[in-house]
Amino acid sequence: MKKLLLILVLVGLTTLGFSQNKPNLTVEKIMQNPTTWIGTSPSSVFWSEDGKTIYFDWNPENNAADSLYKVSAPWTTPVKVSMTEQKKMPSRRGEYNRAKSLKLYDREGDLYIYDVKKGTEKRLTQTESRESSPSFSQDEKSVVFTSNNNLFKMDLASGFITQITNFSSGNGNNRRGNSEKSTERDQALEESQLELFSILKNEKELKNASKEFNDKFQSKPLKEISAGGGFVASMMLSPDENFVVFLSFERSSDKNTIVPDYVTESGYTEDLNARSKVGGVQGRRTVSIYDRKSEQVYEVNSAELPDLDKAPEYYSEYDRKFEGKKKLNTFLPVWSLDGKKAVISLTTDDNKDRYIALLNLNDGNLTLLDHQHDEAWIGGPGIGGWGFSGGDMGWLPDNKHIYFQSEVSGYSHLYLMNVETKERKALTSGNYEVYSPQLNKDKTAWFFEANIEHPGISQAYTMPLMGGKITPLTDMGGKADVTFSPDFTKMAILHSTANHPEELYVSEKISKPENIKKITNSTTAEWESYPWRTPQFITFEARDGANVYARLYEPENNVKNNAAVVFVHGAGYLQNAHQWWSTYFREYMFHNLLVEKGYTVIDIDYRGSSGYGRDWRTGIYRHMGGKDLTDQVDGVNYLIKEKGIDKNKIGIYGGSYGGFITLMAMFTEADSFTSGAALRSVTDWAHYNHGYTSNILNTPTLDSIAYRRSSPIYFAEGLKGNLLICHGMVDTNVHFQDVVRLSQRLIELGKDNWEMAVFPKENHGFVHPSSWTDEYKRILKLFEETLK
């Protein structure tokens, strides 16, 4: 009987797709549709307003898209939320009043208010126009919102709506600083006309008399407000309602590129509009103030901010002087809870400076509180950068302290500053990064995530408001992404490990993390039947003495072939040698396949990766393909010395930034790598976008040295080994043109040990399983034919 049961178990495992004795991963299997093959993890977690129910998106039934699910105490089986119930639910986003008893939000262009205690929703508007961005007035008796690119105010008691602004395009004449000479000239011309022609004088006198009469009986019209040369992107009413602060955006005048799409429904080649290239004239964010009493508009005055005329250090390598001042991107202010103070963030257009300052609404002047400077570029968790964000900031309930994050210590930590004394205080410190800090409901404590235990482990923590002991709330290993209940007494946790995707857990008491209960089981039986490996999490020493973190996958000795493959993650500023489920899950499964075949695989968090502080983040400044590449080479040397890998059997592959590093490896470190597969690779940084590239390499016209030494196309003559290039033809991020230019260069150099595979219907991130399968079959073939 026992023998029969054993046979049945083995048959069951084989039926599920894997043999108990010999796992048989194939490229076709691991690159199939992940929804049907792996399963779909829960996502977008949020709590009901009363904190009794957890909602999340999930797809256990393998439908075309995720559905909304819910689970309540005793936290057993999740239930799908019907469309009828969803329509009655308040929005998961919105703004609360100070007591957290009322919530404002917009849905499908109309405004709603939700009574948290009663659980009732009231519709505030029902119009053809689109109302959005509702917020409470300072006295919480009115709602301020936007519609048709203007601000409005609704009295909650009566429902009466008042229009606050009347924005127009164009330069207008209500901005301070318009030329006085033009006004004097026009006035002189008018006086001359009236003196010469009596009919004009009589008409003006009649017009003035008529206007004076009508003004006595008509309400005053709204003043037209000019947005300058840009468009109004967002706006807010000051708490005292005397000012409107608005952000205008001047669009880039730079030339955009096009990406041809060859496989279309029409049968004709169609052009896709795409981004511009680095170094052109960029758009700019400007914050202006409209004084409702004087009806004047004036920009935030940044003239007194320090170092705007200071040349970056790299200018010393060129025979060039820095002229003028750096331009600024300005972000909307954050108000103190009493509505009496506003703090604002500004960044320079080269992203080397971030300023935090108090804003005087009466004149637009600034009082500097904090100046963060980085000769490379400003960045890091919670700090913003890349020109799109001014960073996370806020006020404590005493209305005297602001909080923000800074890398002044070398890692992104949480700081307080007294705006009256300008005294700065570090709330956190150490060789770790702080993520997503938030205050609890009564604003007495901090809750945040951090990688305190290990750079590759992210858990939740709490800390007193003014700093002190940091207490862990989770101790699950991997990554615990926590969503707190509205009263901060319970936790919904998305947790994953290196060899298992995210699942949902709940803890009914944040003070007792051991009482954590698992809610979902998302992976398929077939996927679970394979013994997915947990990689080793190692460090090795780089040539400059730095400790480099990596994932290491080792085969069993009986199949080890003494060959190794180096995987290079993309994005540059991304972490992958961590201990949770990777966004590179296909590559993770591919590494399991390689290990089956006897390969050793290493996956390195090279210089430029996230999670390791400022110096690691900026280690690629002005030389991509420098330390980020030597970290790969040093990893190879570690494998040769410590793991017995044959130096003539080393492969490397990666996509996007990983593809770029692969090309640089094959061209400039040709003796270290036998073969490489470069996927969707940047080949010339002068052809990539501005926001990303200008931070790291400055611009091609200002820092040609950095671009020349960082671009693979200039080193193509160094190719010795075997190179595979793969690229999507409708890639609107790293354009197909990149590899077309490189292929022409390789042809002209007479190189014959390379090949290129193109994918006509793929963008930067492949979406079709057939394309993934074809690409990775080629990668595997390259390694199998050249590394054994």
Side-chain angles (χ1 to χ4, degrees), residues 162-180:
T162 303
Q163 185 170 343
I164 296 173
T165 63
N166 182 23
F167 282 106
S168 66
S169 58
N171 292 321
N173 60 1
N174 60 330
R175 284 180 170 260
R176 292 180 187 172
N178 283 353
S179 172
E180 292 298 324

Side-chain angles (χ1 to χ4, degrees), residues 283-419:
R284 190 164 71 97
R285 302 165 189 266
T286 304
V287 170
S288 300
I289 302 164
Y290 170 59
D291 187 326
R292 298 182 69 196
K293 293 180 179 178
S294 68
E295 297 186 329
Q296 293 294 305
V297 177
Y298 39 98
E299 289 186 12
V300 168
N301 182 10
S302 58
E304 299 303 317
L305 293 178
D307 296 340
L308 291 178
D309 57 354
K310 184 178 179 180
E313 289 181 3
Y314 73 87
Y315 265 59
S316 63
E317 297 187 26
Y318 300 91
D319 185 19
R320 181 194 308 131
K321 290 184 178 181
F322 185 76
E323 298 178 355
K325 285 189 173 184
K326 297 179 182 180
K327 293 181 180 179
L328 288 160
N329 281 305
T330 315
F331 300 88
L332 286 173
V334 180
W335 308 98
S336 58
L337 300 183
D338 62 7
K340 295 180 180 179
K341 301 183 187 76
V343 67
I344 198 168
S345 178
L346 310 92
T347 58
T348 52
D349 58 352
D350 64 1
N351 209 23
K352 298 183 188 299
D353 296 89
R354 179 196 184 198
Y355 304 92
I356 298 174
L358 281 173
L359 172 63
N360 185 334
L361 294 175
N362 292 298
D363 53 19
N365 288 335
L366 299 174
T367 301
L368 182 63
L369 298 174
D370 187 72
H371 177 199
Q372 300 171 31
H373 175 77
D374 196 311
E375 200 56 43
W377 74 94
I378 292 292
I383 296 171
W386 309 105
F388 305 117
S389 169
D392 298 332
M393 292 191 305
W395 290 84
L396 295 196
D398 63 3
N399 297 299
K400 291 195 305 183
H401 289 88
I402 61 168
Y403 64 85
F404 59 93
Q405 286 183 250
S406 170
E407 283 186 323
V408 65
S409 69
Y411 289 79
S412 181
H413 281 291
L414 184 61
Y415 290 84
L416 294 183
M417 175 167 285
N418 186 314
V419 300

Side-chain angles (χ1 to χ4, degrees), residues 63-79:
N63 294 321
D66 288 2
S67 298
L68 185 65
Y69 280 75
K70 67 178 181 179
V71 64
S72 304
W75 316 108
T76 52
T77 305
V79 178

Side-chain angles (χ1 to χ4, degrees), residues 683-699:
T683 67
D684 187 342
W685 287 107
H687 289 256
Y688 196 50
N689 69 36
H690 185 88
Y692 179 90
T693 319
S694 64
N695 277 339
I696 304 171
L697 300 180
N698 303 306
T699 64

Side-chain angles (χ1 to χ4, degrees), residues 372-555:
Q372 300 171 31
H373 175 77
D374 196 311
E375 200 56 43
W377 74 94
I378 292 292
I383 296 171
W386 309 105
F388 305 117
S389 169
D392 298 332
M393 292 191 305
W395 290 84
L396 295 196
D398 63 3
N399 297 299
K400 291 195 305 183
H401 289 88
I402 61 168
Y403 64 85
F404 59 93
Q405 286 183 250
S406 170
E407 283 186 323
V408 65
S409 69
Y411 289 79
S412 181
H413 281 291
L414 184 61
Y415 290 84
L416 294 183
M417 175 167 285
N418 186 314
V419 300
E420 298 173 359
T421 65
K422 297 186 181 180
E423 179 184 358
R424 184 175 63 191
K425 176 184 179 181
L427 296 185
T428 60
S429 61
N431 295 345
Y432 62 89
E433 307 264 64
V434 172
Y435 300 87
S436 307
Q438 58 180 312
L439 291 170
N440 61 353
K441 182 179 179 179
D442 57 7
K443 301 185 185 302
T444 59
W446 290 100
F447 291 78
F448 58 90
E449 294 178 17
N451 56 352
I452 296 175
E453 180 183 348
H454 181 280
I457 298 175
S458 180
Q459 301 294 305
Y461 297 86
T462 186
M463 173 181 66
L465 179 66
M466 302 304 291
K469 182 181 178 181
I470 296 175
T471 303
L473 299 177
T474 57
D475 184 18
M476 306 172 70
K479 180 178 176 63
D481 186 359
V482 176
T483 302
F484 296 97
S485 60
D487 61 1
F488 281 80
T489 62
K490 297 186 283 290
M491 298 185 292
I493 307 165
L494 287 177
H495 176 254
S496 69
T497 58
N499 70 339
H500 199 284
E502 286 183 317
E503 299 290 3
L504 178 64
Y505 297 75
V506 64
S507 175
E508 290 193 298
K509 292 184 179 181
I510 62 171
S511 59
K512 293 186 177 181
E514 66 272 13
N515 295 328
I516 292 176
K517 183 175 183 178
K518 188 177 182 181
I519 302 297
T520 61
N521 290 286
S522 306
T523 47
T524 66
E526 181 183 7
W527 191 84
E528 286 285 355
S529 68
Y530 184 81
W532 299 104
R533 293 163 177 83
T534 297
Q536 300 173 50
F537 303 103
I538 66 164
T539 61
F540 61 85
E541 186 174 330
R543 62 191 63 188
D544 61 358
N547 281 326
V548 184
Y549 287 81
R551 286 182 170 193
L552 179 66
Y553 303 79
E554 289 191 273

